[in-house]
Amino acid sequence: MTLASPLLLAAGLLVTAALAWAAVVSARRRRAALAAAGVALPGGGRRAHLGTGLTIAGVAVLALATAGPAALVPVPRTAGTVVLAIDVSNSMGADDVAPNRLAAAQRAARAFVEAQPDSVDIGVVAFERGALTTARPDADHAKALAAIDRLKVSGGTSLGTAITASLTAITGRQVAVRTDGTVPDLGYWPSATIVMFSDGQNRGQNADAETERAAEVAQKAGVHIHTVGVGTTAGTTVMVDGFRLQTSLEEETLTLIAQTTGGGYHPASDAARLDGIADTIDLRLTVSDEPLPLAGGLIVLALALLGAGAALTVLRTGRVI
């Protein structure tokens, strides 16, 4: 059980202890006075104090209720996981789509996140030559939106690294394609999907082979990859470290990744079609601990105890206290 305000509980228990002490002192004085007068109470006077005891118990329960107690209760829910892998390489600064490719990818990614139900956990991976999980998969979609807004252009591009980093975010364990070309066994994750936003430019030695092997890892794990092409096939030039480089959308690479894993390729201009991706996820049943407020029930119990205590006191003495 958790408490929202432990200090209120402490204060309430002090009040309860003071009332109990006062009741004991009062009872002793009354017994002493009656004994001096030669009057004996039947049953030692225990029944006479039952009403007072119930009243004090009611105050104690009310003190607990004011502290905001809550119990953690396991709650089942259906859930899926989507990791947005967003290309932040230098080529994503090209302005062949307005205002530039990264901004267009961010716009499409935000629209996708806002369209998803709470049953889908969403994470964000930013990638260039390396990759970084900027938001772990979470039902709080505000975290994913904030991570998307923070993205900046830098570095080269490695689509294979983007895939393995996304699989790491999904499985919670480090995923990498071994140097001998063998792929790790990740188990089966049909409730997970990767949505990759990129211009498809893949740079580095053996980059295409690494991307192909990484896609095979995802396919073996049952993870579909949907790719979103950002840019134009005609392309444009972009300044990188003082050099003007030609860059264009490479749809063939993105299409191959999607086909290998059973996903689909989508142009960024048709991002509205991404809304249906979550419908393809095989939602799994998960159990999470949710807080169940107990204050309401405790207040009812406290009122019942206070009422019973007052009624017994009135019936026996004609007084409320």
Side-chain angles (χ1 to χ4, degrees):
M1 185 175 70
T2 60
L3 296 175
S5 304
L7 290 179
L8 286 178
L9 176 61
L13 292 179
L14 286 175
V15 171
T16 303
L19 290 175
W21 177 81
V24 170
V25 171
S26 176
R28 286 177 178 175
R29 289 177 178 175
R30 183 167 180 265
R31 282 199 303 270
L34 290 174
V39 177
L41 292 175
R46 294 186 181 89
R47 294 181 180 178
H49 305 307
L50 179 58
T52 302
L54 289 175
T55 300
I56 294 174
V59 174
V61 174
L62 191 59
L64 178 59
T66 58
L72 294 178
V73 179
V75 178
R77 74 181 184 104
T78 54
T81 300
V82 173
V83 171
L84 306 182
I86 303 178
D87 191 347
V88 294
S89 63
N90 287 319
S91 61
M92 292 294 285
D95 59 1
D96 51 348
V97 291
N100 58 48
R101 293 177 184 175
L102 178 58
Q106 289 173 305
R107 184 170 57 246
R110 282 194 296 266
F112 173 79
V113 171
E114 291 167 352
Q116 303 315 305
D118 294 338
S119 59
V120 175
D121 296 341
I122 300 179
V124 179
V125 167
F127 72 93
E128 24 98 9
R129 186 171 291 108
L132 176 67
T133 300
T134 58
R136 296 184 181 279
D138 197 289
D140 184 358
H141 296 174
K143 295 179 181 179
L145 291 172
I148 292 169
D149 290 338
R150 291 194 299 265
L151 299 179
K152 303 295 182 183
V153 170
S154 66
T157 310
S158 174
L159 300 179
T161 300
I163 296 172
T164 55
S166 298
L167 291 173
T168 296
I170 289 168
T171 62
R173 51 186 282 197
Q174 189 65 39
V175 177
V177 178
R178 301 184 181 96
T179 54
D180 60 2
T182 59
V183 296
D185 184 7
L186 306 181
Y188 200 59
W189 299 80
S191 60
T193 294
I194 299 170
V195 182
M196 179 185 292
F197 297 82
S198 176
D199 54 20
Q201 296 207 338
N202 208 13
R203 298 293 179 259
Q205 187 177 8
N206 299 321
D208 290 339
E210 291 176 359
T211 299
E212 183 178 349
R213 287 197 296 268
E216 290 173 356
V217 175
Q219 187 274 334
K220 184 179 179 180
V223 177
H224 294 170
I225 302 177
H226 291 266
T227 55
V228 181
V230 185
T232 63
T233 54
T236 186
T237 57
V238 62
M239 291 295 296
V240 178
D241 297 330
F243 296 93
R244 186 172 295 277
L245 303 177
Q246 177 68 28
T247 175
S248 61
L249 171 64
E250 297 184 10
E251 294 183 302
E252 183 178 351
T253 301
L254 297 175
T255 301
L256 179 61
I257 293 172
Q259 290 178 344
T260 299
T261 62
Y265 170 74
H266 311 266
S269 59
D270 194 22
R273 292 177 57 187
L274 296 176
D275 295 349
I277 290 177
D279 296 335
T280 68
I281 302 173
D282 183 11
L283 296 179
R284 69 191 186 282
L285 183 66
T286 63
V287 178
S288 58
D289 290 334
E290 300 289 342
L292 176 66
L294 302 176
L298 290 174
I299 289 174
V300 171
L301 176 59
L303 292 176
L305 290 171
L306 291 170
L312 287 174
T313 301
V314 169
L315 288 174
R316 294 191 61 85
T317 68
R319 296 180 293 111
V320 176
I321 299 176

